[in-house]
Amino acid sequence: MRSTVAGVLLAAGQGSRFGRPKALVELDGRTLAERGVTMLRAGGADPILVVTGAAQVDLSHLGPDHQARTVYNGEWRTGMGSSLRAALRALTELGAGQDAGPEVGAAVVALADQPLVGAEAVGRLIAAYQSGADVAVAAYGGKPRNPVLLAREYWPEVIAAATGDQGARAFLHARPELVTLVECGDTGRPDDIDTPADLERIAVSRPGRPRCG
């Protein structure tokens, strides 16, 4: 059995196209940040880190089974790359603290604005890691999307390559030999919510036409 796998939810953006921070947008009565934490936890990730920036994300009301740490990214305006760097640095420091638990050996990175990604996708990435994969990427119909699992030994490379809005993309393109694609097309969809129209489309495509806002 390999080391503990953390969950990282990138939720720092201001949602310029949406008109407000997407982490606070609701679908089915829960914010996208809350949904992301629940998805990562249900998939087997622990601990969970939520990277915030443009808006304060309050997760204190979540039950003990869904606890998450928030990490503020003061450079959130520069794009997703700074949030990924902040998360991986925070996880590195977490492992070095006096009250540290088991060392985190990898992190599953997900985006708050992809609420239809299923917990099973997270579980499959973690299973791939436990079977020996160091970098695992969820694929849908064979096309790589999110979430992404990154083993700890590659975090320095990921941090060095994460600039602008690329996140882990530059690292993944530079090290294709490390990547294990994990098919997750039957577990959910990686649809992005960039605009209110996207939210409405996702809401009405789900059973029961859930409330969004």
Side-chain angles (χ1 to χ4, degrees), residues 106-183:
V108 175
V109 182
L111 308 182
D113 64 356
Q114 294 182 340
L116 299 187
V117 168
E120 190 174 345
V122 177
R124 289 185 187 181
L125 294 183
I126 293 175
Y129 170 69
Q130 299 294 0
S131 296
D134 289 323
V135 178
V137 178
Y140 301 82
K143 297 181 179 180
R145 292 293 301 274
N146 290 300
V148 173
L149 179 142
L150 304 164
R152 186 188 190 97
E153 64 189 279
Y154 295 105
W155 292 354
E157 286 185 54
V158 176
I159 290 171
T163 59
D165 257 333
Q166 290 201 76
R169 192 181 313 152
F171 166 77
L172 297 174
H173 286 174
R175 301 297 300 273
E177 74 280 4
L178 298 175
V179 176
T180 297
L181 285 182
V182 179
E183 182 57 44

Side-chain angles (χ1 to χ4, degrees), residues 2 29 51-52 62 78 86 92 101 118 131 141 174:
R2 300 181 80 180
V51 183
T52 65
L62 295 180
T78 65
T92 301
S131 296

Side-chain angles (χ1 to χ4, degrees), residues 14-89:
Q14 66 179 342
S16 56
R17 292 175 60 194
F18 195 94
R20 57 189 167 111
K22 290 181 285 186
L24 305 183
V25 170
E26 290 191 2
L27 177 64
D28 285 353
R30 293 185 297 160
T31 67
L32 297 188
E34 292 167 356
R35 293 178 66 90
V37 169
T38 300
M39 178 266 295
L40 287 166
R41 181 73 70 190
D46 183 41
I48 308 293
L49 269 64
V50 179
V51 183
T52 65
Q56 182 176 350
V57 177
D58 182 11
L59 300 169
S60 61
H61 60 287
L62 295 180
D65 293 337
H66 293 87
Q67 288 298 306
R69 295 177 170 88
T70 56
V71 176
Y72 177 69
N73 172 22
E75 300 178 3
W76 61 266
R77 291 178 180 83
T78 65
M80 189 189 310
S82 62
S83 289
L84 181 57
R85 296 196 305 269
L88 297 181
R89 286 168 177 157

Side-chain angles (χ1 to χ4, degrees), residues 42 62 137 199 209 212:
L62 295 180
V137 178
L199 178 64
R209 297 175 65 92
C212 58

